[in-house]
Amino acid sequence: MAAKWIELVTGSLEQKKEYRRYRARIDALPEPYVTVAKAFHRYFMSGAAGIPEDDSVVTMLRDFVELWERAAADGTPVRDIVGEDPVEFADLFAQAYLGKRWIDNERARLTRSIESAEQTDRSVEQTDRREQP
Amino acid sequence: MGKQATEMLKGILEGIVLAILSVRPAYGYEITAWLRDQGFSDIAEGTVYALLVRVEQRGLVDVEKVPSEKGPPRKVYSLNAKGQDYLAEFWRTWSFLAERLEQLHQGGK
């Protein structure tokens, strides 16, 4: 499912190779890191934290596997890496790689709507003042 | 560290980490260790890692990969010019807040 997703989103052969290398590195992690990394991977691919729409996804996954390789090499306890709230950690991590998303367009639209309403408001206010005797 | 402290810290952790990096380059674990020594015991290494990733993506730090005896190369972060500007802004904001809060605190007595 996850592999299918990335193949749909990422086009080039190079990216597909990169993704296969990433999967292999995840699989090569010792326990408990492999289980933890796969759990986060699943969460990322669900889109719950947001998915980078461009090449950043490749960078994100590479940094992600490196984080666990580092932790495995140092023997850092999983909880030390993840903290008390794994969801918060996952969301924070993914957010760093998110560029422009559809939600940003909606946010920009809301801001523009208020600005234009504000301008209408101002011109009405000025007309009102002029009309006063 | 209480829940309130953890919540408050979230907004300023980025400034703290950049301030640490302004003293000397460091890798993620060193930063977490320093924070823990200073009594910020609840900060997970992953939180610092995610934060470093974010400041890297925003171009506030430079990254150098240093080979390590085992495992992947360590990423050593250093503050660049853009990061220094950002940190200066952080300290201005911090001074403003600290001053106003102190006034409020004293006035409330």
Side-chain angles (χ1 to χ4, degrees), chain A residues 75-115:
Chain A
T76 315
V78 165
R79 195 51 86 172
D80 281 7
I81 300 286
V82 168
E84 276 181 38
D85 189 347
V87 175
E88 190 181 10
F89 166 64
D91 290 353
L92 262 175
F93 185 85
Q95 267 164 32
Y97 299 93
L98 295 173
K100 218 168 159 48
R101 293 161 297 165
W102 64 268
I103 200 164
D104 295 324
N105 292 330
E106 288 304 321
R107 286 171 174 161
R109 181 174 292 172
L110 175 60
T111 307
R112 280 198 308 275
S113 299
I114 302 306
E115 277 167 3

Coordinates of all heavy atoms in Angstrom, one line a residue, chain A residues 75-115:
Chain A
G75 N 22.4 3.2 20.6 CA 21.6 2.5 21.5 C 20.7 3.4 22.3 O 20.3 3.1 23.5
T76 N 20.2 4.5 21.7 CA 19.3 5.4 22.4 C 18.0 4.8 22.6 O 17.4 4.2 21.6 CB 19.1 6.7 21.6 OG1 20.4 7.1 21.1 CG2 18.5 7.8 22.4
P77 N 17.4 4.8 23.8 CA 16.1 4.2 24.0 C 15.1 4.9 23.2 O 15.1 6.1 23.0 CB 15.8 4.5 25.5 CG 17.1 4.7 26.2 CD 18.0 5.3 25.1
V78 N 14.1 4.1 22.6 CA 13.1 4.7 21.7 C 12.4 5.8 22.4 O 12.1 6.9 21.7 CB 12.1 3.5 21.4 CG1 10.8 4.1 20.7 CG2 12.8 2.6 20.4
R79 N 12.0 5.7 23.6 CA 11.3 6.7 24.3 C 12.0 8.1 24.4 O 11.4 9.1 24.3 CB 10.9 6.2 25.7 CG 9.8 7.0 26.4 CD 8.6 7.2 25.6 NE 7.6 6.2 25.7 CZ 6.4 6.3 25.2 NH1 6.0 7.3 24.5 NH2 5.6 5.2 25.2
D80 N 13.4 8.0 24.5 CA 14.2 9.2 24.5 C 14.1 9.9 23.2 O 14.2 11.2 23.1 CB 15.7 8.8 24.7 CG 15.9 8.6 26.2 OD1 15.0 8.5 27.0 OD2 17.1 8.4 26.6
I81 N 13.9 9.2 22.1 CA 13.8 9.8 20.8 C 12.4 10.4 20.6 O 12.2 11.5 20.1 CB 14.1 8.8 19.6 CG1 15.5 8.2 19.8 CG2 13.9 9.4 18.3 CD1 16.6 9.1 19.4
V82 N 11.4 9.6 20.9 CA 10.1 9.9 20.5 C 9.4 10.8 21.5 O 8.6 11.7 21.2 CB 9.3 8.6 20.4 CG1 7.8 8.8 20.4 CG2 9.7 7.8 19.2
G83 N 9.8 10.8 22.8 CA 9.2 11.6 23.8 C 7.9 11.0 24.3 O 7.5 9.8 23.9
E84 N 7.1 11.7 25.1 CA 5.9 11.2 25.6 C 4.8 11.0 24.6 O 3.9 10.2 24.7 CB 5.4 12.1 26.8 CG 6.1 11.8 28.1 CD 5.6 12.7 29.2 OE1 4.4 13.0 29.2 OE2 6.4 13.1 30.0
D85 N 4.8 11.9 23.6 CA 3.7 11.9 22.6 C 4.2 11.6 21.2 O 4.7 12.5 20.5 CB 3.0 13.2 22.6 CG 1.8 13.3 21.8 OD1 1.6 12.3 21.0 OD2 1.0 14.2 22.0
P86 N 4.1 10.3 20.8 CA 4.6 9.9 19.4 C 3.9 10.7 18.3 O 4.6 11.0 17.3 CB 4.3 8.4 19.3 CG 4.0 8.0 20.7 CD 3.6 9.2 21.5
V87 N 2.7 11.0 18.5 CA 1.9 11.7 17.4 C 2.4 13.1 17.2 O 2.7 13.6 16.1 CB 0.4 11.7 17.8 CG1 -0.4 12.5 16.8 CG2 -0.2 10.3 17.9
E88 N 2.7 13.8 18.4 CA 3.2 15.1 18.3 C 4.6 15.1 17.6 O 4.9 16.0 16.7 CB 3.4 15.7 19.7 CG 3.7 17.2 19.7 CD 3.8 17.8 21.1 OE1 3.9 17.0 22.0 OE2 3.9 19.0 21.1
F89 N 5.4 14.1 17.9 CA 6.7 14.0 17.3 C 6.6 13.8 15.8 O 7.2 14.5 15.0 CB 7.5 12.9 18.0 CG 8.7 12.5 17.1 CD1 9.8 13.4 16.9 CD2 8.8 11.2 16.5 CE1 10.9 13.0 16.2 CE2 9.9 10.9 15.8 CZ 10.9 11.8 15.6
A90 N 5.7 12.9 15.4 CA 5.5 12.6 14.0 C 5.0 13.8 13.2 O 5.5 14.1 12.1 CB 4.5 11.4 13.8
D91 N 4.1 14.5 13.8 CA 3.5 15.7 13.2 C 4.6 16.8 13.0 O 4.7 17.4 11.9 CB 2.3 16.2 13.9 CG 1.1 15.3 13.8 OD1 1.2 14.3 13.0 OD2 0.1 15.6 14.5
L92 N 5.3 17.0 14.1 CA 6.4 18.0 14.1 C 7.4 17.7 13.0 O 7.9 18.6 12.2 CB 7.1 18.0 15.4 CG 6.7 19.1 16.4 CD1 7.5 18.9 17.7 CD2 7.1 20.5 15.9
F93 N 7.8 16.4 13.0 CA 8.8 16.0 12.0 C 8.3 16.2 10.6 O 9.1 16.8 9.8 CB 9.1 14.5 12.2 CG 10.2 13.9 11.4 CD1 11.5 14.1 11.8 CD2 9.9 13.3 10.2 CE1 12.6 13.6 11.0 CE2 11.0 12.8 9.4 CZ 12.3 13.0 9.8
A94 N 7.1 15.8 10.3 CA 6.6 15.9 8.9 C 6.4 17.3 8.5 O 6.7 17.7 7.3 CB 5.3 15.1 8.8
Q95 N 6.0 18.2 9.5 CA 5.7 19.6 9.1 C 6.9 20.3 8.6 O 6.8 21.2 7.8 CB 5.2 20.3 10.4 CG 3.7 20.3 10.6 CD 3.3 20.7 12.0 OE1 4.0 21.5 12.6 NE2 2.2 20.1 12.4
A96 N 8.1 19.9 9.0 CA 9.3 20.5 8.6 C 9.5 20.4 7.0 O 10.2 21.2 6.4 CB 10.5 20.0 9.3
Y97 N 8.9 19.4 6.5 CA 9.1 19.1 5.0 C 8.0 19.5 4.2 O 8.0 19.4 2.9 CB 9.4 17.6 4.8 CG 10.6 17.1 5.5 CD1 10.5 16.6 6.8 CD2 11.8 17.2 4.9 CE1 11.6 16.1 7.5 CE2 13.0 16.8 5.6 CZ 12.9 16.3 6.9 OH 14.0 15.8 7.5
L98 N 6.9 20.0 4.8 CA 5.7 20.3 4.0 C 5.9 21.7 3.4 O 6.1 22.7 4.0 CB 4.5 20.4 4.9 CG 4.1 19.0 5.5 CD1 2.9 19.2 6.5 CD2 3.7 18.0 4.4
G99 N 5.8 21.7 2.1 CA 5.9 23.0 1.4 C 4.5 23.6 1.3 O 3.7 23.6 2.3
K100 N 4.1 24.0 0.1 CA 2.8 24.6 -0.1 C 1.8 23.4 -0.2 O 2.0 22.5 -1.0 CB 2.7 25.4 -1.3 CG 1.9 26.7 -1.1 CD 2.1 27.6 -2.2 CE 0.9 28.6 -2.4 NZ 0.5 29.2 -1.1
R101 N 0.7 23.5 0.6 CA -0.3 22.4 0.6 C -1.6 23.0 0.2 O -1.8 24.2 0.2 CB -0.4 21.8 1.9 CG 0.8 21.0 2.4 CD 0.7 20.8 3.9 NE 0.8 22.1 4.6 CZ 0.5 22.2 5.9 NH1 0.0 21.2 6.6 NH2 0.6 23.4 6.5
W102 N -2.6 22.2 -0.2 CA -3.9 22.7 -0.6 C -4.5 23.5 0.5 O -5.1 24.5 0.3 CB -4.8 21.5 -0.9 CG -5.1 20.6 0.3 CD1 -4.5 19.5 0.6 CD2 -6.2 20.8 1.3 NE1 -5.0 19.0 1.8 CE2 -6.0 19.8 2.2 CE3 -7.2 21.8 1.4 CZ2 -6.9 19.7 3.3 CZ3 -8.0 21.6 2.5 CH2 -7.9 20.6 3.5
I103 N -4.2 23.2 1.8 CA -4.8 23.9 2.9 C -4.2 25.4 2.9 O -4.9 26.3 3.4 CB -4.5 23.2 4.2 CG1 -5.5 23.7 5.3 CG2 -3.1 23.3 4.7 CD1 -5.6 22.8 6.5
D104 N -3.0 25.5 2.4 CA -2.4 26.9 2.4 C -3.2 27.8 1.4 O -3.3 29.0 1.7 CB -1.0 26.8 2.0 CG -0.1 26.1 3.0 OD1 -0.4 26.3 4.2 OD2 0.8 25.4 2.6
N105 N -3.7 27.2 0.3 CA -4.5 28.0 -0.6 C -5.8 28.5 0.1 O -6.2 29.6 -0.1 CB -4.9 27.1 -1.8 CG -3.7 26.8 -2.7 OD1 -2.7 27.6 -2.7 ND2 -3.7 25.7 -3.3
E106 N -6.4 27.5 0.9 CA -7.6 27.9 1.6 C -7.3 29.0 2.6 O -8.1 29.9 2.8 CB -8.2 26.7 2.3 CG -8.8 25.7 1.3 CD -9.9 26.3 0.4 OE1 -10.7 27.1 0.9 OE2 -9.9 25.9 -0.8
R107 N -6.2 28.9 3.3 CA -5.8 29.9 4.3 C -5.6 31.2 3.6 O -6.1 32.3 4.1 CB -4.6 29.5 5.0 CG -4.9 28.3 6.0 CD -3.7 27.7 6.6 NE -4.1 26.8 7.6 CZ -3.3 25.8 8.1 NH1 -2.1 25.6 7.6 NH2 -3.8 25.0 9.0
A108 N -4.9 31.2 2.5 CA -4.7 32.5 1.7 C -6.0 33.1 1.3 O -6.2 34.3 1.3 CB -3.8 32.2 0.5
R109 N -7.0 32.2 0.9 CA -8.3 32.7 0.4 C -9.0 33.4 1.5 O -9.6 34.4 1.4 CB -9.1 31.5 -0.1 CG -10.5 31.9 -0.7 CD -11.1 30.7 -1.3 NE -10.5 30.3 -2.5 CZ -10.8 29.3 -3.2 NH1 -11.8 28.5 -2.8 NH2 -10.2 29.0 -4.3
L110 N -9.0 32.8 2.7 CA -9.7 33.4 3.9 C -9.1 34.7 4.2 O -9.8 35.7 4.4 CB -9.5 32.4 5.1 CG -10.0 32.9 6.4 CD1 -11.5 33.2 6.4 CD2 -9.7 31.9 7.6
T111 N -7.7 34.8 4.2 CA -7.1 36.1 4.4 C -7.5 37.2 3.4 O -7.8 38.3 3.8 CB -5.5 35.9 4.4 OG1 -5.2 34.8 5.3 CG2 -4.8 37.2 4.9
R112 N -7.5 36.8 2.1 CA -7.9 37.7 1.1 C -9.4 38.2 1.2 O -9.7 39.4 1.1 CB -7.7 37.1 -0.3 CG -6.3 37.1 -0.8 CD -6.3 36.9 -2.3 NE -7.0 35.7 -2.8 CZ -6.5 34.5 -2.8 NH1 -5.3 34.3 -2.4 NH2 -7.3 33.5 -3.2
S113 N -10.2 37.3 1.6 CA -11.7 37.6 1.8 C -11.8 38.6 2.9 O -12.6 39.6 2.7 CB -12.5 36.4 2.2 OG -12.4 35.4 1.2
I114 N -11.1 38.5 4.0 CA -11.2 39.4 5.1 C -10.7 40.8 4.6 O -11.3 41.8 4.9 CB -10.5 38.9 6.3 CG1 -11.0 37.6 6.8 CG2 -10.6 39.9 7.5 CD1 -12.5 37.5 7.0
E115 N -9.6 40.8 3.9 CA -9.0 42.0 3.4 C -9.9 42.8 2.5 O -10.1 44.0 2.7 CB -7.6 41.7 2.7 CG -6.5 41.6 3.6 CD -5.2 41.0 3.0 OE1 -5.3 40.8 1.7 OE2 -4.3 40.8 3.7

